[in-house]
């Protein structure tokens, strides 16, 4: 019996995950291009994604740039933004453009890079071949307009999370308009996919059309096309079934807090969640920003746990994820192998959990 216990304990230990810093030294600033990412100075990393070249791309809202981390060499570089806050550069090199708080980033199947500039209220594109930058949706004034017309003429108000659906359409969380907008990348037209513009509760089982959402902040999709939606003000998470186009409540009571570990995620309290990632083990990970943690929802059992952090604000220590305090993490991404990347924003670090 004792031998079996030791075997089980060893198996658990061998599969225990560790957390480490990939980029950033914990101090805000902008330096380090061309050198080791762990020695670089970064500023408020938010959204992040592994690109088609296998590198990790990170939005830095404090520096108004997109950085690239070569995961094989461990080096860092800047691929978009000149480090100056503003709105300029369309038609020229992405590295010469001025950005204003890029929040989240994704790639299309052709390798073109798209990112949201929240403070400019628009979405920009970097061509995979020429590396030139252009604006594909929105204008640098907040508002709500444009449905049914060209996305480039539309107005957003605090756009944040973006994701491509199985048909290649770009979904955009339009936070202050309490909507998720959808852009047809072939026609360039935009429409409202989710939300009514009202800050009201989302009933479980309700149809997508005509149902309000309160502060839609973050989205991700699984391989079957299920959409996972985080409501920042609503402190809840929903799954949207692609066949029935109905809402299914999977986490959060709607109240702010940090409770529920080991129990039904629907009865747990979340605190300003601002990022979500679907993981191939059939779970979703949430950047629960104001509790300074990363929460995990097992989609089979519905149980919520906290794999990273303890609810206290801080910076580490590593490598035990349960003891590693976060500092308002916003970005989270899972690759095809289930490796988790975290934008630990006000710790000014990019961390990896594997």
């Amino acid at each position: 019996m004792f031998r079996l216990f030791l075997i089980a304990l060893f198996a658990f230990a061998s599969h225990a995950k560790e957390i480490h810093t990939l980029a950033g030294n914990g101090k805000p600033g902008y330096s380090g291009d061309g050198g080791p990412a762990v020695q670089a100075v970064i500023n408020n990393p938010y959204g992040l994604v592994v690109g088609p070249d296998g590198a990790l791309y990170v939005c830095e809202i404090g520096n108004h740039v997109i950085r690239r981390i070569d995961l094989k060499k461990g080096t860092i570089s800047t691929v978009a933004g000149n480090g100056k806050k503003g709105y300029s550069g369309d038609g020229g090199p992405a590295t010469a453009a001025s950005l204003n708080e890029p929040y989240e980033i994704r790639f299309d199947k052709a390798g073109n890079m798209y990112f949201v500039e929240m403070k400019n209220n628009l979405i920009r594109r970097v061509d995979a071949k020429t590396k030139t930058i252009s604006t594909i949706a929105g204008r640098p004034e907040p508002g709500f307009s444009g449905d049914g017309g060209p996305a480039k003429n539309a107005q957003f108000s605090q756009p944040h999370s973006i994701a491509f659906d199985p048909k290649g359409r770009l979904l955009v969380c339009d936070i202050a308009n309490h909507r998720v907008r959808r852009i047809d990348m072939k026609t360039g037209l935009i429409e409202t996919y989710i939300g009514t513009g009202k800050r009201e509760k989302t009933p479980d089982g309700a149809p997508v059309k005509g149902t309000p959402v309160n502060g839609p902040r973050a989205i991700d999709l699984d391989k079957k096309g299920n959409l996972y939606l985080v409501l920042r003000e609503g402190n809840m998470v929903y799954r949207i079934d692609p066949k029935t186009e109905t809402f299914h409540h999977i986490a959060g009571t709607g109240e702010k807090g940090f409770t529920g570990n080991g129990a039904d995620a629907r009865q747990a309290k979340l605190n300003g969640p601002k990022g979500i990632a679907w993981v191939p083990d059939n779970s979703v990970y949430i950047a629960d920003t104001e509790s300074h943690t990363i929460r995990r929802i097992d989609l089979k059992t519905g149980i919520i746990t906290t794999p990273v952090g303890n609810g206290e604000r801080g910076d580490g220590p590593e490598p035990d994820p349960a003891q590693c305090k976060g500092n308002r993490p916003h970005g989270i991404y899972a690759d095809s192998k289930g490796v988790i990347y975290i934008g630990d924003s006000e710790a000014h670090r990019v961390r990896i959990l594997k």
Side-chain angles (χ1 to χ4, degrees):
M1 181 66 71
F2 182 69
R3 181 173 177 273
L4 291 175
F5 170 76
L6 288 177
I7 292 173
L9 184 63
F10 176 77
F12 173 79
S14 65
H15 289 88
K17 293 186 176 183
E18 292 188 349
I19 192 166
H20 296 279
T21 294
L22 272 181
N25 65 3
K27 298 178 181 179
Y30 182 38
S31 69
D33 277 359
V38 292
Q39 296 175 15
V41 184
I42 65 177
N43 195 342
N44 259 283
Y46 269 46
L48 62 181
V49 68
V50 173
D53 59 353
L56 184 70
Y57 291 78
V58 185
C59 293
E60 285 186 48
I61 71 161
N63 289 327
H64 311 287
V65 297
I66 307 291
R67 308 286 284 272
R68 177 185 182 273
I69 301 169
D70 188 312
L71 295 176
K72 293 182 180 179
K73 297 179 180 179
T75 54
I76 193 169
S77 59
T78 298
V79 295
N82 59 17
K84 298 177 182 179
K85 179 181 177 180
Y87 177 51
S88 69
D90 277 0
T95 51
S98 293
L99 317 180
N100 195 347
E101 296 198 5
Y103 263 45
E104 196 158 286
I105 181 171
R106 287 292 183 266
F107 287 84
D108 66 14
K109 292 181 179 179
N112 300 300
M113 183 172 73
Y114 295 79
F115 58 88
V116 169
E117 290 181 51
M118 197 273 279
K119 288 296 180 69
N120 276 336
N121 298 287
L122 46 79
I123 300 162
R124 299 176 90 173
R125 174 186 183 271
V126 178
D127 187 275
K129 296 179 180 179
T130 66
K131 308 303 179 185
T132 56
I133 192 169
S134 58
T135 298
I136 63 107
R139 292 181 281 162
E141 308 92 17
F144 174 68
S145 68
D147 275 3
K152 195 170 183 178
N153 296 334
Q155 285 181 291
F156 298 94
S157 187
Q158 298 182 21
H160 178 257
S161 188
I162 55 175
F164 284 99
D165 72 9
K167 294 184 179 180
R169 297 170 297 191
L170 187 63
L171 305 178
V172 186
C173 283
D174 197 1
I175 303 174
N177 284 324
H178 306 286
R179 302 168 188 263
V180 176
R181 315 280 287 276
R182 183 165 63 185
I183 302 169
D184 187 313
M185 302 304 287
K186 295 180 180 178
T187 66
L189 300 180
I190 190 171
E191 63 180 348
T192 292
Y193 172 47
I194 299 170
T196 61
K198 296 181 179 180
R199 298 184 62 176
E200 297 175 354
K201 290 185 177 181
T202 305
D204 193 14
V208 168
K209 290 185 178 180
T211 298
V213 286
N214 188 1
R217 179 64 182 248
I219 48 176
D220 200 14
L221 293 99
D222 64 21
K223 291 182 178 180
K224 295 181 179 180
N226 289 288
L227 176 67
Y228 299 91
L229 172 66
V230 166
L231 304 183
R232 178 185 66 184
E233 286 87 356
N235 292 295
M236 300 175 84
V237 183
Y238 287 86
R239 176 180 65 86
I240 297 172
D241 188 295
K243 295 180 181 179
T244 62
E245 292 203 325
T246 51
F247 288 97
H248 300 274
H249 175 217
I250 64 170
T253 63
E255 297 180 83
K256 289 184 178 181
F258 175 53
T259 65
N261 280 325
D264 187 341
R266 294 170 297 181
Q267 301 302 317
K269 291 182 181 180
L270 306 176
N271 197 351
K274 296 180 178 69
I276 190 166
W278 178 81
V279 186
D281 66 359
N282 202 26
S283 67
V284 289
Y285 280 61
I286 301 168
D288 198 25
T289 305
E290 308 308 335
S291 75
H292 315 291
T293 63
I294 304 299
R295 315 287 299 267
R296 177 185 184 271
I297 303 165
D298 187 311
L299 295 173
K300 293 180 181 179
T301 65
I303 300 299
I304 191 169
T305 53
T306 304
V308 181
N310 59 11
E312 298 178 14
R313 189 173 188 170
D315 180 12
E318 298 172 348
D320 181 358
Q323 300 302 317
C324 184
K325 297 175 183 177
N327 195 338
R328 302 194 72 242
H330 282 74
I332 188 158
Y333 178 78
D335 68 16
S336 60
K337 297 180 180 179
V339 176
I340 310 296
Y341 300 89
I342 301 164
D344 197 352
S345 305
E346 293 184 16
H348 309 291
R349 297 179 188 271
V350 175
R351 303 186 196 265
I352 183 171
L353 176 68
K354 66 176 183 177

